[in-house]
Amino acid sequence: MTRLLLASAAAVLAALPALAQDSSAEGRPVLTVYTYDSFISEWGPGPEIEKRFEAQCGCDLRFVAAGDGAALLGRLRLEGARSDADVVLGLDTSLTAVAAETGLFAPHGLSPALDLPVDWSDDTFLPYDWGWFAFVYDRTRLKNPPASFEELLNAPEDLKVVIEDPRSSTPGMGLLLWVKSLYGDDAGAAWARLKPHVVTVTSGWTEAYGMFLDGEADMVFSYTTSPAYHLIAEGDDTKAAAAFAEGNYLQVEVAAKLKSTDQPELADAFLAFMLTDAFQDVIPTTNWMYPAVTPESGLPEGFDTLVTPAKSLLVPAGDVPALRDEAMAEWQAGLSR
């Protein structure tokens, strides 16, 4: 039996080159887009966007998952100009300055009219969605959520939160920069005050949100748009996000073209497609973020129930590298006290 299985496996492996040849024989050029895992999950925007773009490009759009946003950039830095990627989708403003320093990216050449809550000017990195970070809670379990960062830090120790690691997660980096932008040189002390509330630090958003849904924490670091998923997809209005009095930190997710692409026209076409309704109206109910360009049909019903922070906080992308090491050291020291 074992021999038969090995023989069958060998036959399948032997057929793979033939299958690949058949695919290339279709004559369709391939556009390879590196992105983060959840973007191309079965519930993410990737499958529908792939179908819509291929319907008009005459190409084979191939998404490649590369972990979270930070891992995505790490892979690109390792691969360099030899990378198979034509486009990268899934970095944010905490990573773009470092990404630009690699010299791997080309200007997008577009002048889009974006619907962001902040001014935007970047000739390389093009936004495709955005959202405010927030602590999300269950209204049935937490009756009086903190209304400010100070209230969170001063809350009774039995208020527990799950947060993400800034070394591997863009939400984790967002929280790191949020604390740094609010507390400056006292950020380390702020992390020490938060420590009694932290159940654990997860490597990514998915693990953190799963722990929250399993009831292992009162709040999870996520987005103001996260309750929209529960409301629209599950008919559950028990989840809510806290808008803090000091303002909530903003995340703008971006894509960019690689200089080394062997499909520059297709890469340009994809970036232009990214700002059309065909792409943007997929975002709100799959990536559960605000689209960078509001579709003509508007936002889905249910988004009007979400909290809107009074202030958007965002460290300019060019300032992040100078803050990163100091902020990271404060985070590690504060949580280890």
Side-chain angles (χ1 to χ4, degrees):
M1 178 62 76
T2 301
R3 183 171 295 179
L4 286 174
L5 289 173
L6 288 173
S8 298
V12 170
L13 290 171
L16 285 178
L19 291 172
Q21 288 167 6
D22 287 343
S23 176
S24 61
E26 294 176 3
R28 295 189 301 161
V30 175
L31 182 73
T32 302
V33 177
Y34 282 11
T35 187
Y36 47 81
D37 294 350
S38 62
F39 194 87
I40 57 173
S41 64
E42 60 180 318
W43 61 85
E48 182 63 22
I49 286 170
E50 180 180 353
K51 184 172 67 176
R52 294 186 181 191
F53 185 63
E54 288 185 344
Q56 62 178 262
C57 72
C59 70
D60 179 5
L61 172 58
R62 296 181 183 175
F63 284 116
V64 176
D68 205 335
L72 176 60
L73 178 58
R75 176 167 174 173
L76 283 171
R77 295 174 80 174
L78 282 174
E79 294 180 350
R82 297 169 299 159
S83 176
D84 290 333
D86 300 299
V87 171
V88 171
L89 182 151
L91 304 180
D92 71 7
T93 54
S94 71
L95 298 169
T96 52
V98 175
E101 289 174 358
T102 65
L104 295 172
F105 297 95
H108 53 66
L110 299 172
S111 301
L114 301 170
D115 297 314
L116 304 180
V118 293
D119 293 334
W120 183 269
S121 177
D122 192 313
D123 63 4
T124 301
F125 299 99
L126 197 60
Y128 63 91
D129 70 15
W130 63 275
W132 287 289
F133 289 119
F135 285 92
V136 171
Y137 62 98
D138 186 321
R139 279 193 270 247
T140 65
R141 302 202 313 253
L142 186 62
K143 302 296 184 183
N144 297 298
S148 69
F149 228 106
E150 270 304 292
E151 285 191 15
L152 172 61
L153 299 185
N154 292 328
E157 288 194 11
D158 61 357
L159 176 71
K160 297 301 182 185
V161 302
V162 182
I163 62 175
E164 298 86 0
D165 191 327
R167 295 168 295 187
S168 55
S169 162
T170 52
M173 181 56 71
L175 181 57
L176 185 87
L177 295 174
W178 191 355
V179 171
K180 187 64 177 173
S181 65
L182 288 179
Y183 292 95
D185 292 341
D186 295 326
W191 284 113
R193 293 168 63 196
L194 184 63
K195 180 184 176 183
H197 302 292
V198 177
V199 174
T200 191
V201 179
T202 64
S203 61
W205 175 89
T206 302
E207 303 96 306
Y209 210 82
M211 291 183 66
F212 164 69
L213 293 179
D214 288 341
E216 296 186 47
D218 301 296
M219 307 184 85
V220 60
F221 193 67
S222 188
Y223 299 86
T224 62
T225 44
S226 298
Y229 165 76
H230 299 284
L231 181 65
I232 296 172
E234 300 178 332
D236 173 8
D237 65 355
T238 63
K239 308 300 186 296
F244 280 180
E246 303 94 332
N248 286 50
Y249 200 79
L250 190 68
Q251 183 182 44
V252 180
E253 294 192 298
V254 301
K257 178 177 70 172
L258 275 292
K259 283 181 181 175
S260 57
T261 175
D262 58 359
Q263 297 289 347
E265 292 82 10
L266 264 181
D268 288 341
F270 180 80
L271 292 179
F273 170 81
M274 195 178 74
L275 299 175
T276 67
D277 279 11
F279 184 108
Q280 293 288 306
D281 70 9
V282 177
I283 291 297
T285 55
T286 53
N287 226 27
W288 302 100
M289 296 280 276
Y290 291 101
V293 180
T294 306
E296 188 174 342
S297 58
L299 295 172
E301 186 176 352
F303 269 64
D304 57 327
T305 67
L306 302 177
V307 298
T308 301
K311 185 177 179 182
S312 298
L313 305 174
L314 184 66
V315 175
D319 294 348
V320 173
L323 289 176
R324 181 190 298 267
D325 290 347
E326 178 182 328
M328 198 73 78
E330 292 165 343
W331 173 79
Q332 291 177 309
L335 291 185
S336 64
R337 288 181 190 174

